[in-house]
Amino acid sequence: MEALVLVGHGSRLPYSKELLEKLAEKIKEKNVFEIVEIGLMEFNEPTIPQAVKKAIERGAKKIIVVPVFLAHGVHTLRDIPHMLGLEEKVEIEDNNGHHHHHEHEHLELPDGVEIIYRDPIGADDRLVDIILDRAFGK
């Protein structure tokens, strides 16, 4: 059974989690995945490991993780893969030569469970219409 886990950053304000919950509900309505969960990197629950564990408890053997971020960055390239147990923590240096360190819960996957980690949203042409709508107050 396949599951989809949407991953967001999280925030001290409610909007980040609410947005992810709304997106998950809209995806559930399409009946593409039997299991749709959300996980937030920081400040909120469920955390990313909690979301993956819940999908596994519900019977998922293949978990597709989509970061709901526009572009790659420290979180999508280092922190989230580390939290998913996909790779060792790597050092990422910013433009000023600073190294960033976040401590996050690390996930241990049971045998027979596969995680597929996808790219963030990127410069998708479908975003252009949304940006133009916002520009005109829609």
Side-chain angles (χ1 to χ4, degrees), residues 6-25 37-47 50-51 54 68:
L6 302 179
V7 170
H9 187 277
S11 173
R12 288 182 179 91
L13 299 175
Y15 313 115
S16 178
K17 182 177 180 180
E18 288 172 359
L19 173 73
L20 225 52
E21 288 171 338
K22 286 177 187 169
L23 289 172
E25 285 303 316
E37 299 292 342
I38 67 163
L40 296 130
M41 211 181 80
E42 47 194 29
F43 306 118
N44 304 110
E45 289 192 342
T47 64
Q50 286 170 346
K54 186 171 179 190
V68 183

PDB file of all heavy atoms in Angstrom, residues 6-25 37-47 50-51 54 68:
ATOM      1  N   LEU A   6       2.900  14.731   3.006  1.00  0.00           N
ATOM      2  CA  LEU A   6       3.235  16.116   2.667  1.00  0.00           C
ATOM      3  C   LEU A   6       4.043  16.685   3.818  1.00  0.00           C
ATOM      4  O   LEU A   6       3.646  16.563   4.973  1.00  0.00           O
ATOM      5  CB  LEU A   6       1.968  16.957   2.484  1.00  0.00           C
ATOM      6  CG  LEU A   6       0.986  16.494   1.428  1.00  0.00           C
ATOM      7  CD1 LEU A   6      -0.217  17.438   1.399  1.00  0.00           C
ATOM      8  CD2 LEU A   6       1.636  16.409   0.068  1.00  0.00           C
ATOM      9  N   VAL A   7       5.158  17.318   3.487  1.00  0.00           N
ATOM     10  CA  VAL A   7       6.051  17.839   4.507  1.00  0.00           C
ATOM     11  C   VAL A   7       6.133  19.355   4.394  1.00  0.00           C
ATOM     12  O   VAL A   7       6.348  19.897   3.306  1.00  0.00           O
ATOM     13  CB  VAL A   7       7.461  17.220   4.340  1.00  0.00           C
ATOM     14  CG1 VAL A   7       8.467  17.922   5.218  1.00  0.00           C
ATOM     15  CG2 VAL A   7       7.424  15.738   4.652  1.00  0.00           C
ATOM     16  N   GLY A   8       5.935  20.023   5.526  1.00  0.00           N
ATOM     17  CA  GLY A   8       6.050  21.477   5.584  1.00  0.00           C
ATOM     18  C   GLY A   8       7.041  21.890   6.648  1.00  0.00           C
ATOM     19  O   GLY A   8       7.513  21.065   7.439  1.00  0.00           O
ATOM     20  N   HIS A   9       7.323  23.168   6.670  1.00  0.00           N
ATOM     21  CA  HIS A   9       8.302  23.687   7.626  1.00  0.00           C
ATOM     22  C   HIS A   9       7.732  23.725   9.031  1.00  0.00           C
ATOM     23  O   HIS A   9       8.379  23.336   9.989  1.00  0.00           O
ATOM     24  CB  HIS A   9       8.747  25.090   7.216  1.00  0.00           C
ATOM     25  CG  HIS A   9       9.865  25.617   8.063  1.00  0.00           C
ATOM     26  ND1 HIS A   9       9.650  26.219   9.285  1.00  0.00           N
ATOM     27  CD2 HIS A   9      11.202  25.588   7.888  1.00  0.00           C
ATOM     28  CE1 HIS A   9      10.820  26.564   9.803  1.00  0.00           C
ATOM     29  NE2 HIS A   9      11.776  26.188   8.977  1.00  0.00           N
ATOM     30  N   GLY A  10       6.501  24.221   9.178  1.00  0.00           N
ATOM     31  CA  GLY A  10       5.930  24.456  10.499  1.00  0.00           C
ATOM     32  C   GLY A  10       6.192  25.894  10.908  1.00  0.00           C
ATOM     33  O   GLY A  10       7.046  26.574  10.338  1.00  0.00           O
ATOM     34  N   SER A  11       5.414  26.357  11.870  1.00  0.00           N
ATOM     35  CA  SER A  11       5.508  27.758  12.279  1.00  0.00           C
ATOM     36  C   SER A  11       4.918  27.921  13.669  1.00  0.00           C
ATOM     37  O   SER A  11       4.090  27.119  14.098  1.00  0.00           O
ATOM     38  CB  SER A  11       4.716  28.629  11.289  1.00  0.00           C
ATOM     39  OG  SER A  11       4.640  29.961  11.739  1.00  0.00           O
ATOM     40  N   ARG A  12       5.324  28.990  14.336  1.00  0.00           N
ATOM     41  CA  ARG A  12       4.692  29.319  15.619  1.00  0.00           C
ATOM     42  C   ARG A  12       3.270  29.842  15.395  1.00  0.00           C
ATOM     43  O   ARG A  12       2.461  29.827  16.306  1.00  0.00           O
ATOM     44  CB  ARG A  12       5.539  30.361  16.356  1.00  0.00           C
ATOM     45  CG  ARG A  12       6.831  29.787  16.887  1.00  0.00           C
ATOM     46  CD  ARG A  12       7.648  30.817  17.663  1.00  0.00           C
ATOM     47  NE  ARG A  12       8.870  30.220  18.170  1.00  0.00           N
ATOM     48  CZ  ARG A  12      10.031  30.218  17.524  1.00  0.00           C
ATOM     49  NH1 ARG A  12      10.127  30.790  16.340  1.00  0.00           N
ATOM     50  NH2 ARG A  12      11.084  29.649  18.051  1.00  0.00           N
ATOM     51  N   LEU A  13       2.986  30.327  14.193  1.00  0.00           N
ATOM     52  CA  LEU A  13       1.641  30.748  13.814  1.00  0.00           C
ATOM     53  C   LEU A  13       0.915  29.551  13.198  1.00  0.00           C
ATOM     54  O   LEU A  13       1.553  28.623  12.708  1.00  0.00           O
ATOM     55  CB  LEU A  13       1.717  31.903  12.814  1.00  0.00           C
ATOM     56  CG  LEU A  13       2.416  33.164  13.332  1.00  0.00           C
ATOM     57  CD1 LEU A  13       2.544  34.206  12.224  1.00  0.00           C
ATOM     58  CD2 LEU A  13       1.665  33.746  14.513  1.00  0.00           C
ATOM     59  N   PRO A  14      -0.418  29.565  13.173  1.00  0.00           N
ATOM     60  CA  PRO A  14      -1.155  28.366  12.748  1.00  0.00           C
ATOM     61  C   PRO A  14      -1.201  28.120  11.241  1.00  0.00           C
ATOM     62  O   PRO A  14      -1.527  27.032  10.807  1.00  0.00           O
ATOM     63  CB  PRO A  14      -2.570  28.633  13.277  1.00  0.00           C
ATOM     64  CG  PRO A  14      -2.692  30.112  13.310  1.00  0.00           C
ATOM     65  CD  PRO A  14      -1.312  30.611  13.688  1.00  0.00           C
ATOM     66  N   TYR A  15      -0.835  29.112  10.423  1.00  0.00           N
ATOM     67  CA  TYR A  15      -1.134  29.052   8.989  1.00  0.00           C
ATOM     68  C   TYR A  15      -0.414  27.934   8.245  1.00  0.00           C
ATOM     69  O   TYR A  15      -0.973  27.325   7.340  1.00  0.00           O
ATOM     70  CB  TYR A  15      -0.841  30.393   8.327  1.00  0.00           C
ATOM     71  CG  TYR A  15      -1.420  31.557   9.097  1.00  0.00           C
ATOM     72  CD1 TYR A  15      -0.592  32.506   9.682  1.00  0.00           C
ATOM     73  CD2 TYR A  15      -2.798  31.678   9.267  1.00  0.00           C
ATOM     74  CE1 TYR A  15      -1.118  33.560  10.416  1.00  0.00           C
ATOM     75  CE2 TYR A  15      -3.333  32.721   9.999  1.00  0.00           C
ATOM     76  CZ  TYR A  15      -2.491  33.658  10.571  1.00  0.00           C
ATOM     77  OH  TYR A  15      -3.011  34.688  11.303  1.00  0.00           O
ATOM     78  N   SER A  16       0.817  27.653   8.592  1.00  0.00           N
ATOM     79  CA  SER A  16       1.594  26.628   7.892  1.00  0.00           C
ATOM     80  C   SER A  16       0.932  25.256   8.039  1.00  0.00           C
ATOM     81  O   SER A  16       0.720  24.547   7.055  1.00  0.00           O
ATOM     82  CB  SER A  16       3.020  26.603   8.445  1.00  0.00           C
ATOM     83  OG  SER A  16       3.788  25.604   7.828  1.00  0.00           O
ATOM     84  N   LYS A  17       0.596  24.901   9.267  1.00  0.00           N
ATOM     85  CA  LYS A  17      -0.052  23.611   9.501  1.00  0.00           C
ATOM     86  C   LYS A  17      -1.439  23.576   8.861  1.00  0.00           C
ATOM     87  O   LYS A  17      -1.810  22.571   8.242  1.00  0.00           O
ATOM     88  CB  LYS A  17      -0.154  23.332  11.004  1.00  0.00           C
ATOM     89  CG  LYS A  17      -0.786  21.982  11.315  1.00  0.00           C
ATOM     90  CD  LYS A  17      -0.806  21.681  12.792  1.00  0.00           C
ATOM     91  CE  LYS A  17      -1.453  20.331  13.040  1.00  0.00           C
ATOM     92  NZ  LYS A  17      -1.491  19.984  14.461  1.00  0.00           N
ATOM     93  N   GLU A  18      -2.194  24.666   8.973  1.00  0.00           N
ATOM     94  CA  GLU A  18      -3.539  24.713   8.378  1.00  0.00           C
ATOM     95  C   GLU A  18      -3.477  24.532   6.865  1.00  0.00           C
ATOM     96  O   GLU A  18      -4.295  23.821   6.287  1.00  0.00           O
ATOM     97  CB  GLU A  18      -4.228  26.035   8.716  1.00  0.00           C
ATOM     98  CG  GLU A  18      -4.644  26.124  10.168  1.00  0.00           C
ATOM     99  CD  GLU A  18      -5.166  27.505  10.558  1.00  0.00           C
ATOM    100  OE1 GLU A  18      -5.200  28.417   9.699  1.00  0.00           O
ATOM    101  OE2 GLU A  18      -5.509  27.682  11.741  1.00  0.00           O
ATOM    102  N   LEU A  19      -2.496  25.166   6.220  1.00  0.00           N
ATOM    103  CA  LEU A  19      -2.351  25.035   4.771  1.00  0.00           C
ATOM    104  C   LEU A  19      -2.064  23.590   4.398  1.00  0.00           C
ATOM    105  O   LEU A  19      -2.691  23.040   3.476  1.00  0.00           O
ATOM    106  CB  LEU A  19      -1.227  25.941   4.266  1.00  0.00           C
ATOM    107  CG  LEU A  19      -0.879  25.756   2.791  1.00  0.00           C
ATOM    108  CD1 LEU A  19      -1.966  26.353   1.914  1.00  0.00           C
ATOM    109  CD2 LEU A  19       0.456  26.366   2.465  1.00  0.00           C
ATOM    110  N   LEU A  20      -1.144  22.951   5.102  1.00  0.00           N
ATOM    111  CA  LEU A  20      -0.806  21.565   4.811  1.00  0.00           C
ATOM    112  C   LEU A  20      -2.016  20.654   5.023  1.00  0.00           C
ATOM    113  O   LEU A  20      -2.266  19.751   4.224  1.00  0.00           O
ATOM    114  CB  LEU A  20       0.355  21.127   5.707  1.00  0.00           C
ATOM    115  CG  LEU A  20       1.474  20.346   5.036  1.00  0.00           C
ATOM    116  CD1 LEU A  20       2.020  21.041   3.815  1.00  0.00           C
ATOM    117  CD2 LEU A  20       2.573  20.033   6.015  1.00  0.00           C
ATOM    118  N   GLU A  21      -2.782  20.902   6.092  1.00  0.00           N
ATOM    119  CA  GLU A  21      -3.992  20.109   6.349  1.00  0.00           C
ATOM    120  C   GLU A  21      -5.004  20.274   5.217  1.00  0.00           C
ATOM    121  O   GLU A  21      -5.599  19.291   4.771  1.00  0.00           O
ATOM    122  CB  GLU A  21      -4.625  20.520   7.681  1.00  0.00           C
ATOM    123  CG  GLU A  21      -3.831  20.069   8.886  1.00  0.00           C
ATOM    124  CD  GLU A  21      -4.322  20.649  10.204  1.00  0.00           C
ATOM    125  OE1 GLU A  21      -5.001  21.706  10.205  1.00  0.00           O
ATOM    126  OE2 GLU A  21      -4.003  20.050  11.249  1.00  0.00           O
ATOM    127  N   LYS A  22      -5.193  21.508   4.734  1.00  0.00           N
ATOM    128  CA  LYS A  22      -6.139  21.746   3.631  1.00  0.00           C
ATOM    129  C   LYS A  22      -5.679  21.057   2.357  1.00  0.00           C
ATOM    130  O   LYS A  22      -6.484  20.464   1.632  1.00  0.00           O
ATOM    131  CB  LYS A  22      -6.307  23.249   3.393  1.00  0.00           C
ATOM    132  CG  LYS A  22      -7.143  23.917   4.458  1.00  0.00           C
ATOM    133  CD  LYS A  22      -7.238  25.413   4.231  1.00  0.00           C
ATOM    134  CE  LYS A  22      -7.942  26.074   5.403  1.00  0.00           C
ATOM    135  NZ  LYS A  22      -7.838  27.518   5.377  1.00  0.00           N
ATOM    136  N   LEU A  23      -4.373  21.136   2.055  1.00  0.00           N
ATOM    137  CA  LEU A  23      -3.854  20.462   0.871  1.00  0.00           C
ATOM    138  C   LEU A  23      -4.042  18.948   0.987  1.00  0.00           C
ATOM    139  O   LEU A  23      -4.446  18.295   0.017  1.00  0.00           O
ATOM    140  CB  LEU A  23      -2.369  20.795   0.671  1.00  0.00           C
ATOM    141  CG  LEU A  23      -2.055  22.213   0.213  1.00  0.00           C
ATOM    142  CD1 LEU A  23      -0.550  22.452   0.247  1.00  0.00           C
ATOM    143  CD2 LEU A  23      -2.616  22.484  -1.178  1.00  0.00           C
ATOM    144  N   ALA A  24      -3.777  18.397   2.166  1.00  0.00           N
ATOM    145  CA  ALA A  24      -3.947  16.957   2.377  1.00  0.00           C
ATOM    146  C   ALA A  24      -5.406  16.548   2.164  1.00  0.00           C
ATOM    147  O   ALA A  24      -5.682  15.521   1.534  1.00  0.00           O
ATOM    148  CB  ALA A  24      -3.471  16.562   3.770  1.00  0.00           C
ATOM    149  N   GLU A  25      -6.336  17.347   2.674  1.00  0.00           N
ATOM    150  CA  GLU A  25      -7.770  17.045   2.488  1.00  0.00           C
ATOM    151  C   GLU A  25      -8.145  17.049   1.007  1.00  0.00           C
ATOM    152  O   GLU A  25      -8.861  16.163   0.537  1.00  0.00           O
ATOM    153  CB  GLU A  25      -8.648  18.042   3.252  1.00  0.00           C
ATOM    154  CG  GLU A  25      -8.669  17.799   4.746  1.00  0.00           C
ATOM    155  CD  GLU A  25      -9.121  16.387   5.119  1.00  0.00           C
ATOM    156  OE1 GLU A  25     -10.111  15.877   4.550  1.00  0.00           O
ATOM    157  OE2 GLU A  25      -8.446  15.765   5.972  1.00  0.00           O
ATOM    158  N   GLU A  37      -0.856  11.755   4.798  1.00  0.00           N
ATOM    159  CA  GLU A  37      -0.499  12.317   6.099  1.00  0.00           C
ATOM    160  C   GLU A  37       0.279  13.612   5.891  1.00  0.00           C
ATOM    161  O   GLU A  37       0.797  13.862   4.805  1.00  0.00           O
ATOM    162  CB  GLU A  37       0.367  11.340   6.901  1.00  0.00           C
ATOM    163  CG  GLU A  37      -0.288  10.012   7.214  1.00  0.00           C
ATOM    164  CD  GLU A  37      -1.437  10.101   8.183  1.00  0.00           C
ATOM    165  OE1 GLU A  37      -1.553  11.123   8.915  1.00  0.00           O
ATOM    166  OE2 GLU A  37      -2.239   9.158   8.240  1.00  0.00           O
ATOM    167  N   ILE A  38       0.350  14.421   6.944  1.00  0.00           N
ATOM    168  CA  ILE A  38       1.198  15.610   6.913  1.00  0.00           C
ATOM    169  C   ILE A  38       2.215  15.511   8.041  1.00  0.00           C
ATOM    170  O   ILE A  38       1.949  14.913   9.082  1.00  0.00           O
ATOM    171  CB  ILE A  38       0.402  16.930   7.048  1.00  0.00           C
ATOM    172  CG1 ILE A  38      -0.236  17.061   8.436  1.00  0.00           C
ATOM    173  CG2 ILE A  38      -0.639  17.054   5.938  1.00  0.00           C
ATOM    174  CD1 ILE A  38      -0.668  18.476   8.789  1.00  0.00           C
ATOM    175  N   GLY A  39       3.389  16.102   7.793  1.00  0.00           N
ATOM    176  CA  GLY A  39       4.422  16.157   8.812  1.00  0.00           C
ATOM    177  C   GLY A  39       5.097  17.511   8.756  1.00  0.00           C
ATOM    178  O   GLY A  39       5.337  18.054   7.673  1.00  0.00           O
ATOM    179  N   LEU A  40       5.382  18.067   9.922  1.00  0.00           N
ATOM    180  CA  LEU A  40       6.003  19.391   9.985  1.00  0.00           C
ATOM    181  C   LEU A  40       7.384  19.289  10.607  1.00  0.00           C
ATOM    182  O   LEU A  40       7.606  18.535  11.551  1.00  0.00           O
ATOM    183  CB  LEU A  40       5.103  20.343  10.752  1.00  0.00           C
ATOM    184  CG  LEU A  40       3.789  20.529   9.971  1.00  0.00           C
ATOM    185  CD1 LEU A  40       2.603  20.323  10.850  1.00  0.00           C
ATOM    186  CD2 LEU A  40       3.751  21.849   9.274  1.00  0.00           C
ATOM    187  N   MET A  41       8.299  20.063  10.045  1.00  0.00           N
ATOM    188  CA  MET A  41       9.694  19.980  10.433  1.00  0.00           C
ATOM    189  C   MET A  41       9.943  20.513  11.836  1.00  0.00           C
ATOM    190  O   MET A  41      10.691  19.927  12.602  1.00  0.00           O
ATOM    191  CB  MET A  41      10.531  20.755   9.424  1.00  0.00           C
ATOM    192  CG  MET A  41      11.889  20.186   9.260  1.00  0.00           C
ATOM    193  SD  MET A  41      12.799  21.150   8.101  1.00  0.00           S
ATOM    194  CE  MET A  41      13.262  22.471   9.168  1.00  0.00           C
ATOM    195  N   GLU A  42       9.336  21.637  12.153  1.00  0.00           N
ATOM    196  CA  GLU A  42       9.526  22.194  13.496  1.00  0.00           C
ATOM    197  C   GLU A  42       8.315  22.993  13.934  1.00  0.00           C
ATOM    198  O   GLU A  42       7.473  23.346  13.134  1.00  0.00           O
ATOM    199  CB  GLU A  42      10.811  23.026  13.592  1.00  0.00           C
ATOM    200  CG  GLU A  42      11.029  24.016  12.490  1.00  0.00           C
ATOM    201  CD  GLU A  42      12.459  24.554  12.469  1.00  0.00           C
ATOM    202  OE1 GLU A  42      13.387  23.845  12.889  1.00  0.00           O
ATOM    203  OE2 GLU A  42      12.626  25.690  12.032  1.00  0.00           O
ATOM    204  N   PHE A  43       8.225  23.234  15.211  1.00  0.00           N
ATOM    205  CA  PHE A  43       7.185  24.030  15.886  1.00  0.00           C
ATOM    206  C   PHE A  43       5.825  23.340  16.004  1.00  0.00           C
ATOM    207  O   PHE A  43       5.028  23.741  16.826  1.00  0.00           O
ATOM    208  CB  PHE A  43       6.974  25.397  15.219  1.00  0.00           C
ATOM    209  CG  PHE A  43       8.218  26.211  15.085  1.00  0.00           C
ATOM    210  CD1 PHE A  43       8.687  26.580  13.834  1.00  0.00           C
ATOM    211  CD2 PHE A  43       8.938  26.611  16.210  1.00  0.00           C
ATOM    212  CE1 PHE A  43       9.837  27.344  13.703  1.00  0.00           C
ATOM    213  CE2 PHE A  43      10.088  27.368  16.087  1.00  0.00           C
ATOM    214  CZ  PHE A  43      10.543  27.731  14.828  1.00  0.00           C
ATOM    215  N   ASN A  44       5.516  22.356  15.168  1.00  0.00           N
ATOM    216  CA  ASN A  44       4.187  21.757  15.167  1.00  0.00           C
ATOM    217  C   ASN A  44       4.265  20.239  15.146  1.00  0.00           C
ATOM    218  O   ASN A  44       5.281  19.671  14.808  1.00  0.00           O
ATOM    219  CB  ASN A  44       3.386  22.194  13.928  1.00  0.00           C
ATOM    220  CG  ASN A  44       3.262  23.682  13.793  1.00  0.00           C
ATOM    221  OD1 ASN A  44       3.861  24.268  12.894  1.00  0.00           O
ATOM    222  ND2 ASN A  44       2.511  24.322  14.664  1.00  0.00           N
ATOM    223  N   GLU A  45       3.137  19.642  15.462  1.00  0.00           N
ATOM    224  CA  GLU A  45       2.962  18.206  15.315  1.00  0.00           C
ATOM    225  C   GLU A  45       1.781  17.970  14.395  1.00  0.00           C
ATOM    226  O   GLU A  45       0.899  18.810  14.328  1.00  0.00           O
ATOM    227  CB  GLU A  45       2.715  17.555  16.679  1.00  0.00           C
ATOM    228  CG  GLU A  45       3.970  17.563  17.530  1.00  0.00           C
ATOM    229  CD  GLU A  45       3.854  16.688  18.762  1.00  0.00           C
ATOM    230  OE1 GLU A  45       2.713  16.351  19.154  1.00  0.00           O
ATOM    231  OE2 GLU A  45       4.881  16.344  19.325  1.00  0.00           O
ATOM    232  N   PRO A  46       1.744  16.873  13.686  1.00  0.00           N
ATOM    233  CA  PRO A  46       2.705  15.788  13.746  1.00  0.00           C
ATOM    234  C   PRO A  46       4.048  16.177  13.125  1.00  0.00           C
ATOM    235  O   PRO A  46       4.093  16.922  12.152  1.00  0.00           O
ATOM    236  CB  PRO A  46       2.045  14.666  12.939  1.00  0.00           C
ATOM    237  CG  PRO A  46       1.118  15.370  11.999  1.00  0.00           C
ATOM    238  CD  PRO A  46       0.669  16.600  12.718  1.00  0.00           C
ATOM    239  N   THR A  47       5.110  15.645  13.712  1.00  0.00           N
ATOM    240  CA  THR A  47       6.438  15.833  13.136  1.00  0.00           C
ATOM    241  C   THR A  47       6.549  14.942  11.895  1.00  0.00           C
ATOM    242  O   THR A  47       5.684  14.082  11.652  1.00  0.00           O
ATOM    243  CB  THR A  47       7.535  15.429  14.137  1.00  0.00           C
ATOM    244  OG1 THR A  47       7.417  14.011  14.391  1.00  0.00           O
ATOM    245  CG2 THR A  47       7.443  16.215  15.437  1.00  0.00           C
ATOM    246  N   GLN A  50       6.710  11.341  12.987  1.00  0.00           N
ATOM    247  CA  GLN A  50       5.380  10.912  13.452  1.00  0.00           C
ATOM    248  C   GLN A  50       4.459  10.614  12.272  1.00  0.00           C
ATOM    249  O   GLN A  50       3.708   9.631  12.296  1.00  0.00           O
ATOM    250  CB  GLN A  50       4.752  11.984  14.340  1.00  0.00           C
ATOM    251  CG  GLN A  50       5.358  12.088  15.714  1.00  0.00           C
ATOM    252  CD  GLN A  50       4.882  13.313  16.492  1.00  0.00           C
ATOM    253  OE1 GLN A  50       4.295  14.244  15.943  1.00  0.00           O
ATOM    254  NE2 GLN A  50       5.159  13.321  17.793  1.00  0.00           N
ATOM    255  N   ALA A  51       4.499  11.450  11.237  1.00  0.00           N
ATOM    256  CA  ALA A  51       3.642  11.244  10.059  1.00  0.00           C
ATOM    257  C   ALA A  51       4.003   9.948   9.336  1.00  0.00           C
ATOM    258  O   ALA A  51       3.121   9.184   8.929  1.00  0.00           O
ATOM    259  CB  ALA A  51       3.763  12.439   9.118  1.00  0.00           C
ATOM    260  N   LYS A  54       2.869   6.980  11.400  1.00  0.00           N
ATOM    261  CA  LYS A  54       1.420   6.793  11.298  1.00  0.00           C
ATOM    262  C   LYS A  54       1.055   6.106   9.981  1.00  0.00           C
ATOM    263  O   LYS A  54       0.212   5.211   9.956  1.00  0.00           O
ATOM    264  CB  LYS A  54       0.706   8.143  11.416  1.00  0.00           C
ATOM    265  CG  LYS A  54      -0.799   8.012  11.476  1.00  0.00           C
ATOM    266  CD  LYS A  54      -1.468   9.321  11.817  1.00  0.00           C
ATOM    267  CE  LYS A  54      -2.974   9.167  11.859  1.00  0.00           C
ATOM    268  NZ  LYS A  54      -3.661  10.458  11.947  1.00  0.00           N
ATOM    269  N   VAL A  68       6.528  20.372   0.659  1.00  0.00           N
ATOM    270  CA  VAL A  68       5.713  21.471   0.146  1.00  0.00           C
ATOM    271  C   VAL A  68       6.501  22.768   0.386  1.00  0.00           C
ATOM    272  O   VAL A  68       6.186  23.585   1.242  1.00  0.00           O
ATOM    273  CB  VAL A  68       4.308  21.477   0.788  1.00  0.00           C
ATOM    274  CG1 VAL A  68       3.448  22.578   0.186  1.00  0.00           C
ATOM    275  CG2 VAL A  68       3.636  20.120   0.593  1.00  0.00           C
TER     276      VAL A  68
END
